[in-house]
Amino acid sequence: MLSTAVLSACGEESSEVTATNAVPFAPKPDADEFYAQPNPMPKLALGTILKSRAVTFAPVGSVPMSNAAWQLQFISRDVNGKSIAAIATVVKPTVAGTGPSPLLAFQYAEDSLGSHCAPSHTLTGSTANSVSQLESTQPLLGLAAGWTVVYPDHEGPYSAYGAGRLAGQITLDSIRAALSFQPLGLSSNTQVGMWGYSGGAIATAWAASLQKAYAPEINIVAVASGGTPADVLGIAKNLDESPATNALFFPLILSAIEGINRSYPNLVTPILNDKGRAAFESLKDGCVGDTSDGSSAPSGHLADYTTTPDPLNAPNVLATSPLITLPLAGNSPIADTFVYHSTIDELIPVAGAVALVKAWCAAGSHVAYYQGVTGEHLLFEVTTAPLAIAYLTSRFTGTPTVTPPTTTTCN
């Protein structure tokens, strides 16, 4: 049931995109009116809740759980600084822990271009996003420990998969919204943690990087970022050139390029050939690299889909690269941060994480870095989830920081 919208009489502005045809290869709008962008867009503070509704929490295989849960629509920003309305799902723990409840912002690896693939749908019973289904049990450990959890739809209203600044801003604004939502019983002093792996680490690491400038008032005490896709072009190059990785993940990386292109249309729109445009059309409503029109998944190499033989060195791509790559000049975490990555990660090469940690350490951030060998990209996420929970728990409780052996720490 919808609550009364919190709207302002102090003025209005247009959102970044007033029609989906202004977004290259835009997804179909969500059929649920709750997700619709206000038009005109009200001028309100970031994180201001526009509307809310109670929902049934069913994150794993559509099985309902007893936790009280709500969906919130709130004000955030796109990559150009224009106001947008974003969505998050907030969930209360079934049993309160000892002391005030901390807030965990859990960022799913949504990794998708279709609006129906978003976390808010996964959390209310949809099984369309297979990767989200695999991740759904992880934050339940936090709920069981008495933590409140906010799950942002961090790809925004047009499913801009891979657009890090957008994802980071939405994540921070979802925390603002959750802290102000009275039924959760939180406050501006609430301890906050952020956690995400792979596609979820895009949102988490960007939010950590942007916090000082964008949301310094939030009491973020811990960040856990695993399998972090810091060097986007390096990931794309690895996938394009590694036969085994290319065979497994090509549709996924092409989806990420399409998603980033939704926020930065100059990235590849000018260099797509007919095959590239057809591939983007086939992927634009799919989950996790799947097509949505019944066609076969794209395969091959990036040059097959563009008018240039070396698309990753095309001028438009190189010009956009600094906007989508971490570390971000002048921005590094102010919260304690745990970065963990597999040495043998075949999808996201470890070199990007190493360079990110080095830059953050040089900037004065407190970073604990663990480089492990317990599996490739997907298996490493499963085996290291308890490490992330242990780290977050130690920071919430103020006990000595818990990290695995061989972890290195700076500052």
Side-chain angles (χ1 to χ4, degrees):
M1 189 174 190
L2 297 182
S3 70
T4 302
V6 183
L7 299 176
S8 172
C10 65
E12 298 169 335
E13 70 175 56
S14 298
S15 58
E16 176 195 11
V17 185
T18 56
T20 55
N21 60 14
V23 176
F25 307 97
K28 294 176 183 176
D30 200 293
D32 187 340
E33 281 299 314
F34 186 82
Y35 293 81
Q37 294 291 290
N39 190 12
M41 183 71 67
K43 286 185 178 179
L44 294 167
L46 296 167
T48 299
I49 298 171
L50 299 175
K51 55 186 176 182
S52 65
R53 64 181 178 184
V55 295
T56 298
F57 183 53
V60 183
S62 71
V63 179
M65 298 181 66
S66 60
N67 304 68
W70 297 263
Q71 287 174 347
L72 311 177
Q73 187 188 62
F74 57 92
I75 293 290
S76 190
R77 284 181 185 162
D78 68 13
V79 299
N80 300 309
K82 298 289 187 179
S83 294
I84 57 172
I87 302 292
T89 305
V90 292
V91 185
K92 292 188 73 170
T94 307
V95 179
T98 57
S101 172
L103 175 67
L104 172 66
F106 183 79
Q107 287 63 252
Y108 272 111
E110 181 179 342
D111 296 0
S112 301
L113 296 173
S115 60
H116 67 291
C117 315
S120 56
H121 289 293
T122 296
L123 294 164
T124 52
S126 172
T127 58
N129 191 317
S130 58
V131 170
S132 293
Q133 284 291 297
L134 292 173
E135 290 189 311
S136 285
T137 59
Q138 295 178 10
L140 299 184
L141 299 172
L143 288 168
W147 305 350
T148 302
V149 181
V150 56
Y151 302 83
D153 286 6
H154 55 78
E155 291 185 5
Y158 302 105
S159 302
Y161 167 33
R165 179 176 291 275
L166 174 73
Q169 291 173 171
I170 290 175
T171 296
L172 292 168
D173 289 326
S174 77
I175 295 170
R176 285 173 162 144
L179 293 174
S180 71
F181 188 58
Q182 291 186 351
L184 296 180
L186 306 176
S187 74
S188 59
N189 295 321
T190 294
Q191 290 186 316
V192 178
M194 300 191 298
W195 181 18
Y197 187 89
S198 190
I202 295 174
T204 303
W206 274 84
S209 297
L210 295 171
Q211 188 207 347
K212 183 178 180 179
Y214 191 84
E217 82 284 1
I218 300 176
N219 184 26
I220 299 176
V221 299
V223 178
S225 182
T228 309
D231 179 9
V232 175
L233 294 192
I235 295 166
K237 180 177 175 63
N238 169 67
L239 186 141
D240 215 32
E241 295 178 354
S242 170
T245 307
N246 178 279
L248 287 171
F249 296 110
F250 184 80
L252 188 64
I253 197 64
L254 197 63
S255 294
I257 292 170
E258 180 171 358
I260 296 169
N261 195 67
R262 287 174 175 174
S263 280
Y264 301 95
N266 207 39
L267 177 69
V268 294
T269 302
I271 60 172
L272 289 175
N273 59 22
D274 288 345
K275 185 176 180 179
R277 287 186 286 271
F280 274 26
E281 283 290 339
S282 71
L283 292 167
K284 71 178 186 178
D285 290 300
C287 297
V288 200
D290 290 337
T291 62
S292 53
D293 62 358
S295 62
S296 299
S299 61
H301 297 277
L302 295 175
D304 300 334
Y305 296 85
T306 64
T307 57
T308 174
D310 189 9
L312 295 179
N313 283 307
N316 290 352
V317 174
L318 294 177
T320 306
S321 178
L323 305 176
I324 60 176
T325 300
L326 290 177
L328 192 63
N331 294 269
S332 62
I334 56 176
D336 289 359
T337 302
F338 176 47
V339 178
Y340 55 107
H341 210 105
S342 173
T343 300
I344 56 174
D345 193 319
E346 81 288 14
L347 177 59
I348 302 174
V350 70
V354 171
L356 178 65
V357 169
K358 182 178 180 180
W360 281 354
C361 287
S365 298
H366 183 275
V367 182
Y369 177 57
Y370 172 63
Q371 188 168 304
V373 292
T374 54
E376 39 60 65
H377 185 73
L378 296 178
L379 182 59
F380 190 74
E381 176 178 16
V382 175
T383 58
T384 54
L387 303 180
I389 285 285
Y391 176 81
L392 292 164
T393 300
S394 68
R395 305 321 303 133
F396 284 151
T397 58
T399 54
T401 303
V402 176
T403 54
T406 73
T407 298
T408 59
T409 305
C410 65
N411 304 315

